[in-house]
Amino acid sequence: MSMFFKAGIGVLCMLALQSCDWISIKKPTVKAGYVYEDIIDYTVVDAYPLFAECQGLADNTARDSCFENTFKAKVELSLKEEQFIATAVFTDTVYAKILVDTSGKFSVEALEMTETTAKALPQFDSIFRADINNMPLLLQSATKRGIPVNSRFKLPIVIRVKI
């Protein structure tokens, strides 16, 4: 009986050693130079959209910063060129939700402004939307894993109306 007991233990040990593959951690699959992972964060892009002014920068961080600064400067310049007529003196912040599509075209998805701003600057909405729609096309839209994707930005615009 002890012989059968020892043989049974030996068989169980062999089976236990064979089942280690069930416990091992799965590694990402590599196929044609790409690594496919199980979880993809779709809320973050790999590279921001690209203005012509930012084309020569090799580092992604520098290009992203260049995009942000160039976009802010273009919006500020276009708004300074406009002649707004306000009905009151105030300071407020308007939040613009901007969409950059895969072709590199800008559009305004929404403008969040207080009722005071909407009444004091009734033409702001239409002028701002026209300025964003006339923004020059980008060289490249945002990318995720090398694929062009839509990107959205929330841009705060501080409005100061003085006498």
Side-chain angles (χ1 to χ4, degrees):
M1 178 128 352
S2 69
M3 176 101 169
F4 288 115
F5 183 69
K6 288 180 185 179
I9 295 229
V11 170
L12 286 176
C13 286
M14 297 273 286
L15 288 175
L17 291 174
Q18 292 295 325
S19 65
C20 286
D21 287 339
W22 296 339
I23 301 171
S24 67
I25 299 171
K26 292 184 179 180
K27 295 181 181 178
T29 306
V30 178
K31 189 174 189 180
Y34 292 101
V35 176
Y36 297 98
E37 297 172 355
D38 295 334
I39 300 173
I40 299 172
D41 185 1
Y42 287 105
T43 61
V44 180
V45 296
D46 295 338
Y48 276 29
L50 185 65
F51 279 111
E53 296 93 318
C54 308
Q55 187 175 13
L57 302 172
D59 181 43
N60 261 356
T61 306
R63 272 189 277 162
D64 295 351
S65 179
C66 180
F67 168 78
E68 290 174 359
N69 294 332
T70 304
F71 181 60
K72 288 178 198 174
K74 287 179 183 290
V75 169
E76 186 177 339
L77 180 64
S78 67
L79 289 176
K80 282 184 178 181
E81 291 175 352
E82 301 294 342
Q83 297 295 320
F84 291 103
I85 300 170
T87 60
V89 175
F90 68 96
T91 299
D92 196 7
T93 302
V94 174
Y95 293 95
K97 292 182 180 177
I98 309 292
L99 170 72
V100 181
D101 66 16
T102 56
S103 65
K105 182 160 177 33
F106 290 88
S107 63
V108 178
E109 287 190 321
L111 273 176
E112 299 171 5
M113 66 175 80
T114 62
E115 194 173 316
T116 304
T117 304
K119 285 181 181 176
L121 291 170
Q123 72 278 22
F124 182 81
D125 187 296
S126 60
I127 290 173
F128 181 76
R129 286 178 188 275
D131 286 349
I132 294 299
N133 289 339
N134 292 328
M135 190 78 58
L137 283 177
L138 296 166
L139 291 179
Q140 170 185 321
S141 68
T143 58
K144 181 71 175 181
R145 294 187 173 207
I147 300 169
V149 294
N150 291 341
S151 54
R152 289 175 174 81
F153 301 94
K154 189 170 185 179
L155 179 69
I157 303 163
V158 177
I159 298 175
R160 290 185 186 94
V161 178
K162 302 176 187 176
I163 296 181

